């Protein structure tokens, strides 16, 4: 019964603020709410050898709503935002293990490595609903310190760039 305070999923602390961004964006992996199984989304597949270090493979050919291709750099930018203590992302506590964030690195243009400080039970399930943001659209706001007010309810809809989660949530074998 309240208006959203943001259209930026990484800053949406309440249900009303998360509802719309959840439909405008997509996560790397998603928990199926019926089976509780982890499913591909922006990442087509993943693997781990020890439950601590994971390799995720980004789907190829995905584009944001403005036509810009989704890249690993968008993923790295999103994780940079989450780890910035000045931003206060809703996901920062979800990803921290023993007070430390996982190490995130680009293996190549379509592959991402995530290494947690130790093996954690939640593993990649912590990435559920963690929206990947378009770096090309939000980097300037982040650099000039206005990221927290970017994509507010007063933002023109033409300025909000999303990704239709319906386009990426079709199950992919892995």
């Amino acid at each position: 019964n309240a208006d959203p305070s943001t259209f930026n999923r990484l800053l949406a602390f309440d249900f009303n603020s998360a509802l719309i961004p959840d439909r405008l964006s997509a996560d790397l992996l998603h928990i199926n709410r019926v089976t509780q199984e982890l499913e591909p989304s922006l990442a087509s597949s993943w693997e781990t050898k020890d439950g601590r270090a994971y390799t995720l493979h980004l789907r190829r050919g995905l584009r944001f709503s403005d036509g810009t291709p989704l890249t690993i750099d968008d993923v790295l930018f999103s994780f940079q935002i989450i780890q910035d203590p000045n931003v206060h992302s809703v996901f920062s506590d979800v990803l921290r293990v023993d007070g430390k964030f996982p190490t995130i690195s680009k293996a190549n243009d379509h592959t991402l490595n995530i290494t947690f400080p130790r093996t954690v039970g939640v593993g990649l399930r912590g990435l559920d609903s963690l929206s990947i943001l378009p770096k090309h659209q939000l980097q300037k706001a982040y650099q000039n310190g206005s990221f927290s007010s970017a994509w507010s309810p007063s933002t023109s809809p033409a300025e909000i760039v999303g990704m239709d989660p319906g386009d990426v949530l079709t199950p992919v074998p892995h």
Side-chain angles (χ1 to χ4, degrees):
N1 293 339
D3 291 334
S5 59
T6 183
F7 294 112
N8 183 333
R9 182 61 178 103
L10 299 185
L11 301 176
F13 283 91
D14 61 88
F15 178 77
N16 292 323
S17 294
L19 190 62
I20 294 171
D22 274 347
R23 281 145 183 84
L24 295 175
S25 59
D27 45 16
L28 289 168
L29 306 167
H30 190 76
I31 297 172
N32 180 308
R33 299 306 191 250
V34 175
T35 66
Q36 297 302 306
E37 294 294 321
L38 197 57
E39 296 180 343
S41 187
L42 297 176
S44 60
S45 63
W46 59 93
E47 60 264 348
T48 185
K49 292 180 182 162
D50 59 8
R52 179 178 167 261
Y54 297 87
T55 301
L56 285 81
H57 305 280
L58 198 61
R59 288 179 192 255
R60 296 173 189 248
L62 295 177
R63 296 183 177 277
F64 287 101
S65 59
D66 65 354
T68 304
L70 171 76
T71 69
I72 288 291
D73 292 332
D74 297 303
V75 177
L76 294 174
F77 174 71
S78 299
F79 278 98
Q80 179 183 4
I81 298 295
I82 292 166
Q83 294 179 40
D84 188 329
N86 297 315
V87 172
H88 308 290
S89 172
V90 66
F91 290 96
S92 64
D93 286 338
V94 173
L95 289 180
R96 265 194 287 253
V97 175
D98 300 332
K100 298 177 187 173
F101 285 104
T103 302
I104 313 291
S105 62
K106 176 180 177 178
N108 62 47
D109 289 341
H110 301 285
T111 308
L112 178 76
N113 294 318
I114 299 176
T115 304
F116 289 92
R118 63 174 171 78
T119 302
V120 291
V122 71
L124 292 180
R125 296 173 74 80
L127 302 181
D128 176 63
S129 298
L130 189 157
S131 296
I132 301 304
L133 300 177
K135 180 179 180 180
H136 71 280
Q137 186 73 19
L138 293 169
Q139 183 174 24
K140 185 176 178 182
Y142 178 64
Q143 290 173 332
N144 69 26
S146 64
F147 180 81
S148 294
S149 61
W151 290 6
S152 71
S154 63
T155 303
S156 166
E159 294 178 35
I160 299 175
V161 175
M163 180 166 292
D164 180 2
D167 289 345
V168 297
L169 292 179
T170 304
V172 171
H174 61 280

